[in-house]
């Protein structure tokens, strides 16, 4: 393991890779700050750039953009009450009231310290957890992989939130359907190409990710007329002091510690991600607080700000565990990174640890650097970076459109791809209006090819019998977990609604807020 | 009878799954494939079936609450259509006018559609930006950007 850490360290401290961390954190902070654009869109916008880099630098850049975007999201949550993504919604609960009390500087500093601690604690646990899990998973066979992918796909649906499970499952199936378009790898037969040459290679991952996350998100803000809100501009002259007093530090330190570990654990669960982690951590801290402290929650409590901030960063780090060790993304953002790794010809999963130790370790090591960069460079620069929020949206929106379209065009040099992007965007907007979540579709699409390969191998080995699903204890266990994940929440929900019916009253749940756009 | 978002979604996915299943039957198989446990049609068939079952479940379980209805008022569809139209024109212009001019045309029309009317901003926001991107791509990164067909045909390639 020390060997690996050393390899990772040498890769990560190469000047070019260090620069990638810095550039990534800055770009991520800026994109994450723009209302409506979250980590998924930020990472999607980076894909075309990473195609020209070698795998480690590409993934380091994406990881930097990822934490940068989570951090940027909290900045806009605090300053203008406009969360850049779902995982920083909770930050607005106490962050914006603090900004209104002219304590924006303190709130930003606390958010940065919490994010830093959350990210660092997450990275330390990752350092030990990932190799351990990876060495266990080396004994996996294709049947186990198939089961793992089913688990990953059902988990995303299971965590989709109240009333969204079937929609998420349908979107997963839709993603799997899109993955079947193109030439069949095994027989070479064209599938769903309708005779056009442009579809022989299938729908490109980059195109799908850009159309559903970058383009569709921007177009949605135009559709809702959100780009006309001029009052969102923050007054940067009133940030206030960035210092925290000793008592305040003492007060929030245990909160940050608890929420970090908790957030990491939630992040590791496939499909849960930063959004759910931040909501749960906030709820946990409110329950733990004294009656007097409880009243402050929602009105500018420092604890209420520290908890979700440390949890969402720790969860972002945690979601790398299933990605790096099992090849199963824990969130929409890591799903995009998985797609990028596959495009590099790298197969994420247990073999990554053995075959590409430089990628595996340099990502983990670069997380420390990423967190440091955010704390040392980004925090003092926040007043300046946030000036960019002042660029009027009528200028900004066409530029984001331009970047997402040319990002796809410059890889294929085929204008058919742009037409296809517009088409997919229209479909995505229609589905968004019907409240279908997009992340499961992308996950289904990315895992589709792997799922088919492993299923075919497992079926061939067992001579066409589905007995491979229960013959190995490991496969059986994973399948049982997958089924339980899907069925148990539904049963609990059913029981609750039956109880409520008999009691004749309804209680609002918090889980419905964490539906889509997970970090 | 109230037709909610969930009903519309369920119906759309039902149609999609049926169409997907229908076209899945037209995937050519290799001779002897029908005896194999897994071939090019296996997964599409399974997905079509799964899609039909899930969309039926969605249709059956959807609640008929009035607040679940699809409300389209308040959305600016016209503007979005124009913006996406501009993207399509950009695709055409890339082929005919080349990267630089197409970018300027796209940005100016985008700014204009979103309400920017000051001529100075329209051009100061687009021309230097387009030149900068074009310069970094073609000169710094050495990416070949094909000249527009229009110029190629006028100047004789």
């Amino acid at each position: 393991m020390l060997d690996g850490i050393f390899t990772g360290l040498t890769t990560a401290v190469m000047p070019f890779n260090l620069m990638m961390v810095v550039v990534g954190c800055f770009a991520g902070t800026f994109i994450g700050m723009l209302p409506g654009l979250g980590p998924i869109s930020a990472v999607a916008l980076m894909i075309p750039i990473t195609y020209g880099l070698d795998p480690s630098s590409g993934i380091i850049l994406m990881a930097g953009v990822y934490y940068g975007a989570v951090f940027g999201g909290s900045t806009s949550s605090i300053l203008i009450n406009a969360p850049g993504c779902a995982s920083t919604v909770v930050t607005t609960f106490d962050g914006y009231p603090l900004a209104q009390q002219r304590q924006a500087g303190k709130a930003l500093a606390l958010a940065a310290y919490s994010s830093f601690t959350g990210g660092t604690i997450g990275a330390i646990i990752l350092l030990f957890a990932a190799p351990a899990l990876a060495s266990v998973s080396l004994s996996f066979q294709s049947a186990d992989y198939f089961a793992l992918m089913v688990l990953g796909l059902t988990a995303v649906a299971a965590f989709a939130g109240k009333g969204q499970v079937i929609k998420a499952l349908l979107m997963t199936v839709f993603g799997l359907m899109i993955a079947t378009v193109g030439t069949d790898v095994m027989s070479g037969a064209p599938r769903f190409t309708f005779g056009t040459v442009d579809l022989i290679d299938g729908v490109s991952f980059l195109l799908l990710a850009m159309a559903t996350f970058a383009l569709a998100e921007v177009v949605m803000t135009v559709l809702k007329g959100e780009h006309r809100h001029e009052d969102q501009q923050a007054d940067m002259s009133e940030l206030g002091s960035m210092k925290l007093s000793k008592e305040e530090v003492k007060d929030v330190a245990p909160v940050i510690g608890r929420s970090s570990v908790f957030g990491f654990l939630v992040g590791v669960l496939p499909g849960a991600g930063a959004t759910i982690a931040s909501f749960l951590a906030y709820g946990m801290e409110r329950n733990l607080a004294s009656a007097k402290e409880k009243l402050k929650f929602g009105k500018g409590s420092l604890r209420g700000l520290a908890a979700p901030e440390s949890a969402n960063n720790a969860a972002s780090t945690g979601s790398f565990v299933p990605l790096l060790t099992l090849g199963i993304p824990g969130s929409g953002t890591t799903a995009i990174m998985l797609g990028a790794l596959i495009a590099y010809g790298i197969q994420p999963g247990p073999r990554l640890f053995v075959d590409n130790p430089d990628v595996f370790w340099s990502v983990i090591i670069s997380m420390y650097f990423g967190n440091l960069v955010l704390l040392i460079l980004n925090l003092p620069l926040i007043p300046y970076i946030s000036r960019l929020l002042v660029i009027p949206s009528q200028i900004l929106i066409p530029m984001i459109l331009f970047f997402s379209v040319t990002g796809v065009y410059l890889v294929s040099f085929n204008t058919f791809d742009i037409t296809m992007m517009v088409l997919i965007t229209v479909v995505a907007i229609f589905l968004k209006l019907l409240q279908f979540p997009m992340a499961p579709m992308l996950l289904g699409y990315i895992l589709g090819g792997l799922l088919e390969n492993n299923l075919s191998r497992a079926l061939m080995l067992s001579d066409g019998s589905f007995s491979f699903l229960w013959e190995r204890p490991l496969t059986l266990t994973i399948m049982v977990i997958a089924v339980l994940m899907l069925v148990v929440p539904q049963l609990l929900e059913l029981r609750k609604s039956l109880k409520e019916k008999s009691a004749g009253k309804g209680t609002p749940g918090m889980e419905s807020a964490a539906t889509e756009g997970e970090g | 009878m109230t037709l909610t978002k969930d009903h519309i979604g369920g119906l759309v996915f039902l149609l999609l799954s049926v169409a997907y299943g229908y076209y899945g039957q037209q995937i050519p198989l290799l001779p002897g494939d029908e005896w194999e446990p897994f071939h090019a049609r296996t997964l599409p068939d399974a997905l079509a079936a799964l899609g039909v079952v899930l969309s039926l479940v969605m249709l059956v379980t959807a609640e008929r609450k009035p607040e679940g209805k699809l409300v389209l008022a308040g959305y600016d569809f016209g503007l979005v259509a124009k913006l996406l139209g501009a993207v399509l024109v950009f695709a055409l212009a890339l082929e005919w006018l080349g990267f630089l001019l197409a970018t300027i045309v796209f940005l100016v029309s985008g700014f204009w559609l979103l309400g920017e009317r000051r001529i100075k901003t329209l051009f100061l926001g687009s021309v230097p930006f387009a030149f900068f991107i074009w310069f970094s791509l073609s000169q710094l990164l050495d990416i070949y950007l094909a000249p527009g067909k229009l110029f190629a045909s006028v100047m004789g390639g």
Side-chain angles (χ1 to χ4, degrees):
Chain A
M1 192 170 116
L2 274 177
D3 244 28
I5 296 177
F6 192 68
T7 320
L9 200 62
T10 39
T11 316
V13 294
M14 286 198 297
F16 185 72
N17 287 345
L18 280 180
M19 194 182 86
M20 284 296 116
V21 177
V22 176
V23 171
C25 284
F26 272 116
T29 309
F30 173 54
I31 302 174
M33 241 186 228
L34 303 173
L37 290 182
I40 302 189
S41 327
V43 174
L45 279 170
M46 286 299 135
I47 307 170
I49 299 172
T50 59
Y51 277 177
L53 306 172
D54 69 272
S56 326
S57 311
I59 288 297
I60 289 176
L61 176 70
M62 282 190 176
V65 169
Y66 187 11
Y67 349 114
V70 175
F71 182 72
S74 19
T75 310
S76 58
S77 298
I78 292 170
L79 288 180
I80 56 178
N81 204 16
C85 56
S87 60
T88 53
V89 168
V90 194
T91 309
T92 59
F93 293 178
D94 283 294
Y96 188 60
L98 274 171
Q100 281 176 319
Q101 296 159 21
R102 307 215 163 178
Q103 290 186 313
K106 193 189 268 182
L108 284 171
L110 180 61
Y113 298 141
S114 316
S115 305
F116 172 74
T117 321
T120 310
I121 293 183
I124 293 174
I125 311 180
L126 178 65
L127 193 64
F128 294 101
L133 195 55
S135 52
V136 171
S137 49
L138 269 179
S139 59
F140 281 19
Q141 295 178 359
S142 39
D144 309 325
Y145 275 116
F146 172 72
L148 267 178
M149 282 167 207
V150 173
L151 173 65
L153 293 176
T154 47
V156 170
F159 285 108
K162 208 175 157 190
Q164 287 282 81
V165 178
I166 293 184
K167 284 184 177 176
L169 281 176
L170 269 174
M171 287 305 275
T172 314
V173 172
F174 186 38
L176 289 168
M177 286 177 177
I178 299 176
T180 57
V181 175
T183 310
D184 176 33
V185 193
M186 273 155 297
S187 68
R191 300 195 287 191
F192 307 101
T193 55
F194 304 103
T196 46
V197 187
D198 292 304
L199 282 175
I200 289 234
D201 273 339
V203 181
S204 106
F205 149 72
L206 174 66
L207 196 158
L208 195 67
M210 290 288 238
T212 46
F213 283 100
L215 210 54
E217 289 291 337
V218 178
V219 169
M220 270 316 265
T221 57
V222 176
L223 191 62
K224 288 182 192 156
E226 280 168 7
H227 63 287
R228 292 205 193 90
H229 297 172
E230 292 296 336
D231 54 340
Q232 286 184 340
Q233 289 171 10
D235 187 357
M236 294 308 145
S237 58
E238 287 182 23
L239 280 183
S241 158
M242 287 199 168
K243 286 207 171 79
L244 289 165
S245 71
K246 250 187 190 163
E247 291 76 49
E248 285 166 340
V249 173
K250 244 187 196 168
D251 188 39
V252 294
V255 175
I256 294 179
R258 273 198 297 266
S259 309
S260 303
V261 177
F262 180 71
F264 182 85
L265 293 177
V266 175
V268 172
L269 299 176
T275 310
I276 294 174
S278 61
F279 271 95
L280 290 179
Y282 187 81
M284 182 176 87
E285 282 309 320
R286 197 172 43 188
N287 287 337
L288 287 176
S290 63
K292 200 177 130 208
E293 181 67 34
K294 219 176 247 178
L295 288 176
K296 274 203 205 159
F297 274 75
K299 291 178 192 138
S301 158
L302 291 181
R303 288 188 183 197
L305 176 62
E309 273 305 297
S310 10
N312 69 19
N313 271 53
S316 310
T317 315
S319 62
F320 277 87
V321 173
L323 173 71
L324 291 176
T325 57
L326 304 172
I328 289 185
S331 62
T333 318
T334 40
I336 292 185
M337 291 195 194
L338 175 68
L341 277 175
I342 294 175
Y344 275 128
I346 291 177
Q347 182 56 64
R351 299 290 311 172
L352 179 70
F353 179 51
V354 183
D355 297 339
N356 301 83
D358 52 327
V359 175
F360 184 88
W361 289 103
S362 58
V363 171
I364 297 182
I365 301 285
S366 74
M367 284 181 181
Y368 293 97
F369 293 144
N371 283 308
L372 269 178
V373 168
L374 284 182
L375 191 69
I376 300 173
L377 288 177
N378 273 21
L379 185 59
L381 290 178
I382 278 293
Y384 307 100
I385 302 180
S386 47
R387 290 240 166 96
L388 290 168
L389 281 175
V390 182
I391 298 179
S393 48
Q394 67 263 33
I395 304 289
L396 211 52
I397 288 175
M399 288 201 176
I400 300 174
L401 287 180
F402 167 79
F403 277 122
S404 22
V405 171
T406 40
V408 171
Y409 173 75
L410 288 176
V411 172
S412 66
F413 292 98
N414 183 354
T415 47
F416 172 80
D417 280 2
I418 302 182
T419 319
M420 187 83 179
M421 252 180 114
V422 172
L423 204 76
I424 294 180
T425 309
V426 171
V427 174
I429 293 172
F430 174 67
L431 290 173
K432 269 170 183 279
L433 287 176
L434 294 175
Q435 281 165 346
F436 279 90
M438 288 293 136
M441 192 253 310
L442 202 61
L443 205 61
Y445 168 79
I446 289 170
L447 289 180
L450 297 171
L451 184 107
E452 185 169 17
N453 285 344
N454 283 302
L455 177 63
S456 91
R457 220 171 297 149
L459 267 178
M460 297 276 184
L461 285 175
S462 66
D463 227 359
S465 141
F466 276 94
S467 61
F468 69 87
L469 286 177
W470 52 82
E471 268 171 358
R472 277 165 60 84
L474 188 62
T475 327
L476 183 65
T477 318
I478 303 172
M479 286 309 284
V480 168
I481 297 176
V483 173
L484 285 180
M485 260 187 164
L486 205 58
V487 175
V488 171
Q490 309 312 311
L491 288 180
L492 288 178
E493 196 60 46
L494 196 71
R495 213 181 83 182
K496 208 171 111 195
S497 65
L498 284 178
K499 250 188 192 167
E500 269 166 24
K501 248 181 206 166
S502 59
K505 62 171 180 150
T507 43
M510 204 162 81
E511 66 272 30
S512 58
T515 46
E516 202 212 337
E518 64 276 14
Chain B
M1 179 180 141
T2 349
L3 197 65
T4 63
K5 285 181 202 170
D6 291 4
H7 291 109
I8 301 174
L11 276 175
V12 168
F13 271 100
L14 185 62
L15 283 178
L16 176 86
S17 307
V18 170
Y20 180 85
Y22 171 76
Y23 284 108
Q25 297 312 307
Q26 298 178 3
I27 298 172
L29 287 183
L30 296 175
D33 251 0
E34 53 272 41
W35 314 112
E36 291 291 330
F38 197 94
H39 49 75
R41 271 186 212 164
T42 316
L43 191 69
D45 286 351
L47 287 177
L50 200 59
V52 168
V53 170
L54 283 173
S55 39
L56 284 177
V57 170
M58 183 156 174
L59 279 173
V60 172
T61 57
E63 291 179 44
R64 289 192 188 281
K65 281 183 191 159
E67 62 262 31
K69 266 178 96 168
L70 181 64
V71 183
L72 293 179
Y75 290 121
D76 201 342
F77 285 104
L79 183 57
V80 166
K82 282 179 208 157
L83 266 183
L84 290 178
V87 174
L88 290 177
V89 171
F90 178 52
L92 261 181
L94 269 176
E95 240 171 274
W96 288 96
L97 299 179
F99 186 82
L100 192 60
L101 277 179
T103 305
I104 296 176
V105 169
F106 173 70
L107 287 177
V108 169
S109 56
F111 299 158
W112 177 272
L113 285 174
L114 288 167
E116 183 61 61
R117 288 292 180 273
R118 286 164 295 179
I119 301 287
K120 216 170 125 191
T121 322
L122 282 178
F123 285 95
L124 277 183
S126 59
V127 178
F129 176 78
F131 260 102
F132 171 72
I133 298 281
W134 173 82
F135 182 79
S136 0
L137 286 176
S138 63
Q139 306 301 314
L140 296 181
L141 296 173
D142 230 2
I143 295 172
Y144 174 73
L145 295 168
K149 279 187 196 168
L150 198 66
F151 299 109
S153 58
V154 171
M155 312 264 202

